Amino acid sequence: MATILVVEDEKPINDLITMNLKLVGHRFFKAFSGMEVPAILEREKIDLILLDVMLPGLDGFSLMRQIRNLNIPVIFITAKDSLADRIAGFELGADDYIIKPFEILELLARIHVVLRRSTKEQTAIIIDDVEIRPLERQVYKLGCAVELTVREFELLDVLLQNRNIALSREKLLELAWGYDYEGETRTVDVHIRQLRKKLGWEERIKTVFKLGYRLEMPGEP
Amino acid sequence: MRFWQKTLLVVLILFIVALDASVIMMMHKSWKLNMDREMQRSSNEQAFIANNIYDNLNSIKSRGMTVKEDVLFDVARSYAEYYQKQNIFLQLWDRDRLVYDGDVGAGRQQGSGQTHTEEQKVHEMVTSGELPAPYQELKLVYKRNIEELYTSQKELNRYFVYVNVIAGPILAFLLYVLIRQLTRPLRQLSKTTQTIAGGNYNERVALKRNDEFGELAQNFNRMAEAVERHVTELSAMAEEKQRIVDNLAHELRTPLTSMQGFAQYLNSAHISEEERITASGHIWSETLRLKNLAFKLLDLSVLRHQSVERIRLSVDKLFQSVRQMEQENLEVR
């Protein structure tokens, strides 16, 4: 997946973000102040920066001005939710702007959107004997194409984005098919059963008691 | 009606009425005096002429001549012709018989024996009186034209109207200038009041005077200063409160975000024991942070309502305690 730099001075928040990034399979670097950022950018190839606005020393907006010519996508994370601040952020070239307190699923979704926009070719994901090519919207098992309906592929995509995180049936419904989709949560169960059967993922897609479903994958890629 | 308009009108009317009344009274008095003088003069002259005639008649008598009607006529005519040049007409009566009539438009009189004067419609002054004894039966009527007096009075009246017509507007103009000048401080005060009412609290009245207006302006400025100070204090207080609320929002958001996030993480993520401990540890410490924040807020609100207790404190100890508190944070960075 992607390499993400998290610039956040509050250790709990920084941990929270990076732990979740790790869950869904991203690589990450931590920075606790704006000063550390240029060195890390020089050393590493970073796909996305999550940047807190209120930082000790060098604040997020000033840092943004310094690094905007590197053309790395940036999502601002801030407690300031005034319109003026948001406009200032977007004018500096931010790709998105997320306000504390945020839900981690929302942050992951936004990260996904920004990454999909910025990286032209998306690499295929290989899990066990299954290969998923997001760009082609194709899934292969043991080299053979698996016939998935559009709904099933969308559900698989959401599970992959939020891997290792349990998602409720309602959340899956919303994330995969949108708010407007008029279906019952049972529809989710039906599609999950189909995915398990077609991909042989009875063990991978876990039913979590009282919560929903979770696509479980081994730790670091 | 504006104050200056009212003042202008009232003062103008009062002034003109007072002026006109006194002028009219003076004119009236002067008319009376003139009239009296004329009357005095008339009766004097009448007496003088009567005496002269009497002297003449006496001397004629002493020469042994009888005073007959034609003699009387001659004597009267000689005087009448002389005085006619001065617009004075004479009549001589012998009892009820007119002996000599020097007046062209005559026909009226008259006296019942005693000297009396009266004014006539054609503005003549008529004085009649008997000659001294033994000519009591002879009566001299003296008639003098006083048209001149009336003409001059009329002239005076006309002049009075002219003066009124000219002086009225001039007076009104001068009063206007004067009153506008006097009420200028009022307008200035009014303008400043409007400016301040419009929210511009640092406006002041620039009025350096030693009169009541100056005093008013000074007091007004003092009031404006007090208002401005209060407004500034209030807005500073409001700003401070806003800052506190903003900071509080930020201070609350950070722990809330991590607590919410870690709780969700614990609830739904597929994680190892080590990660579980890290996450729950963060939730624990963030809860403590929120608790501290709540207590600090409580302290703050208590402090606001109570006077601050002052105690002596060593600065060194204070620094030491700060160092102890922050050492851990500094090492982490």
Side-chain angles (χ1 to χ4, degrees):
Chain A
M1 296 291 272
T3 309
I4 298 173
L5 174 61
V6 180
V7 191
E8 164 68 66
D9 61 318
E10 294 281 343
K11 192 172 185 305
I13 304 263
N14 202 321
D15 279 357
L16 175 70
I17 296 171
T18 51
M19 281 160 90
N20 277 289
L21 289 178
K22 187 181 157 197
L23 268 188
V24 300
H26 290 298
R27 291 181 65 224
F28 61 83
F29 291 95
K30 287 184 184 183
F32 293 100
S33 76
M35 315 293 195
E36 306 167 32
V37 174
I40 297 175
L41 289 179
E42 236 170 74
R43 212 169 55 229
E44 309 287 342
K45 189 191 170 296
I46 302 292
D47 297 318
L48 174 69
I49 301 173
L50 299 180
L51 185 54
D52 188 13
V53 177
M54 299 234 268
L55 285 170
L58 189 64
D59 73 276
F61 286 156
S62 313
L63 183 63
M64 182 72 197
R65 267 177 222 114
Q66 284 185 19
I67 60 171
R68 67 200 295 187
N69 53 350
L70 295 175
N71 273 329
I72 299 171
V74 171
I75 298 178
F76 274 121
I77 299 172
T78 179
K80 291 177 170 181
D81 61 349
S82 76
L83 187 66
D85 280 318
R86 244 178 290 176
I87 290 173
F90 283 120
E91 274 179 351
L92 281 171
D95 289 81
D96 210 339
Y97 199 94
I98 195 161
I99 294 155
K100 292 177 193 172
F102 50 83
E103 257 199 78
I104 210 73
L105 286 181
E106 191 193 351
L107 179 66
L108 291 177
R110 289 185 187 220
I111 289 171
H112 183 72
V113 169
V114 172
L115 282 176
R116 193 165 54 191
R117 208 189 301 150
S118 65
T119 47
K120 297 286 176 286
E121 46 168 349
Q122 274 178 310
T123 48
I125 302 157
I126 300 168
I127 301 161
D128 300 337
D129 50 3
V130 178
E131 186 186 358
I132 300 148
R133 298 180 186 167
L135 218 60
E136 300 166 37
R137 298 178 79 88
Q138 283 289 339
V139 180
Y140 299 90
K141 187 177 166 72
L142 294 166
C144 303
V146 181
E147 286 298 320
L148 287 184
T149 65
V150 178
R151 290 263 162 78
E152 283 163 0
F153 188 85
E154 282 166 343
L155 187 62
L156 176 64
D157 197 32
V158 169
L159 285 170
L160 274 170
Q161 279 170 41
N162 301 294
R163 69 188 80 161
N164 290 322
I165 297 173
L167 298 163
S168 66
R169 291 172 176 81
E170 288 80 10
K171 204 76 198 175
L172 280 170
L173 202 64
E174 180 194 318
L175 289 173
W177 305 318
Y179 296 94
D180 307 335
Y181 182 73
E182 294 199 3
E184 294 178 38
T185 48
R186 281 185 45 124
T187 326
V188 178
D189 296 333
V190 174
H191 284 85
I192 289 283
R193 213 176 306 137
Q194 288 295 319
L195 276 178
R196 277 177 178 158
K197 209 170 84 187
K198 285 182 179 175
L199 302 174
W201 275 7
E202 279 80 7
E203 288 304 307
R204 285 252 173 249
I205 303 177
K206 284 263 171 62
T207 306
V208 183
F209 180 62
K210 275 192 175 172
L211 270 176
Y213 297 102
R214 179 164 63 202
L215 176 62
E216 288 189 359
M217 285 190 36
E220 289 292 318
Chain B
M1 209 185 210
R2 313 282 298 174
F3 172 74
W4 70 267
Q5 289 169 328
K6 262 189 260 183
T7 315
L8 176 64
L9 211 64
V10 169
V11 170
L12 192 64
I13 290 172
L14 271 180
F15 198 87
I16 288 179
V17 166
L19 191 73
D20 285 6
S22 47
V23 167
I24 286 169
M25 275 160 72
M26 293 227 334
M27 275 166 64
H28 185 69
K29 183 69 188 172
S30 122
W31 168 252
K32 258 194 138 157
L33 285 176
N34 277 339
M35 204 47 110
D36 284 353
R37 205 174 58 231
E38 285 300 317
M39 276 183 187
Q40 195 62 46
R41 188 176 145 202
S42 292
S43 67
N44 282 350
E45 274 189 354
Q46 193 268 347
F48 177 71
I49 295 166
N51 263 335
N52 277 357
I53 292 176
Y54 164 80
D55 281 350
N56 281 359
L57 290 179
N58 263 354
S59 63
I60 287 168
K61 226 176 183 180
S62 66
R63 267 183 268 149
M65 293 164 79
T66 39
V67 179
K68 274 193 243 144
E69 200 158 302
D70 55 336
V71 176
L72 283 175
F73 183 85
D74 280 348
V75 171
R77 198 189 55 190
S78 66
Y79 281 102
E81 276 169 1
Y82 174 74
Y83 280 105
Q84 204 158 12
K85 289 172 201 149
Q86 298 174 32
N87 258 337
I88 292 165
F89 307 101
L90 298 175
Q91 279 177 326
L92 193 62
W93 297 71
D94 188 357
R95 292 206 184 83
D96 285 342
R97 203 158 47 82
L98 186 60
V99 179
Y100 176 80
D101 185 7
D103 186 10
V104 190
R108 69 223 149 248
Q109 11 103 275
Q110 91 180 247
S112 57
Q114 279 164 342
T115 307
H116 83 273
T117 51
E118 62 180 27
E119 288 174 54
Q120 301 280 332
K121 275 280 184 242
V122 255
H123 304 130
E124 286 177 322
M125 194 169 271
V126 180
T127 312
S128 64
E130 292 163 1
L131 266 62
Y135 307 104
Q136 301 100 313
E137 66 272 19
L138 291 177
K139 200 175 68 171
L140 181 72
V141 175
Y142 171 97
K143 209 185 275 182
R144 201 154 65 85
N145 194 324
I146 51 166
E147 200 60 49
E148 206 182 317
L149 204 63
Y150 279 86
T151 323
S152 75
Q153 187 66 22
K154 262 188 209 145
E155 180 69 28
L156 262 181
N157 279 341
R158 207 175 309 128
Y159 189 69
F160 171 67
V161 172
Y162 282 155
V163 166
N164 252 346
V165 166
I166 294 165
I170 291 175
L171 188 67
F173 174 74
L174 288 178
L175 268 176
Y176 172 79
V177 171
L178 179 74
I179 288 172
R180 290 296 278 182
Q181 184 67 23
L182 281 176
T183 54
R184 205 178 56 181
L186 271 182
R187 284 195 301 282
Q188 231 172 313
L189 273 167
S190 169
K191 217 178 99 198
T192 312
T193 314
Q194 275 175 357
T195 317
I196 290 180
N200 191 359
Y201 292 104
N202 56 12
E203 183 80 2
R204 294 287 179 274
V205 189
L207 205 63
K208 295 273 181 289
R209 277 162 174 245
N210 283 327
D211 57 6
E212 290 91 330
F213 283 119
E215 206 177 283
L216 177 61
Q218 243 177 18
N219 288 333
F220 181 89
N221 281 348
R222 219 171 290 150
M223 183 196 74
E225 225 158 84
V227 168
E228 190 190 3
R229 203 173 48 240
H230 278 274
V231 167
T232 319
E233 269 172 23
L234 278 179
S235 56
M237 223 185 277
E239 237 168 71
E240 194 196 351
K241 281 219 168 109
Q242 187 58 44
R243 213 176 49 241
I244 287 176
V245 168
D246 284 349
N247 286 343
L248 195 66
H250 182 251
E251 285 303 310
L252 284 176
R253 268 161 201 230
T254 308
L256 276 179
T257 305
S258 46
M259 282 162 73
Q260 182 189 347
F262 280 118
Q264 204 185 3
Y265 182 79
L266 282 178
N267 198 10
S268 56
H270 176 55
I271 47 171
S272 65
E273 183 69 4
E274 189 194 338
E275 284 157 335
R276 193 186 64 76
I277 288 169
T278 314
S280 56
H282 277 312
I283 293 182
W284 178 248
S285 63
E286 293 297 275
T287 316
L288 285 182
R289 187 167 153 190
L290 271 186
K291 195 183 89 180
N292 282 340
L293 199 64
F295 279 125
K296 264 180 203 159
L297 274 180
L298 211 63
D299 286 350
L300 262 182
S301 71
V302 167
L303 271 183
R304 261 168 207 231
H305 296 291
Q306 282 179 1
S307 56
V308 181
E309 193 190 340
R310 288 159 202 257
I311 49 168
R312 263 185 197 289
L313 205 71
S314 149
V315 181
D316 284 342
K317 272 187 190 167
L318 191 69
F319 279 128
Q320 248 173 24
S321 71
V322 170
R323 190 180 156 159
Q324 264 173 11
M325 274 199 299
E326 295 298 323
Q327 193 147 27
E328 201 183 335
N329 288 338
L330 288 171
E331 276 167 6
V332 169
R333 294 282 151 86

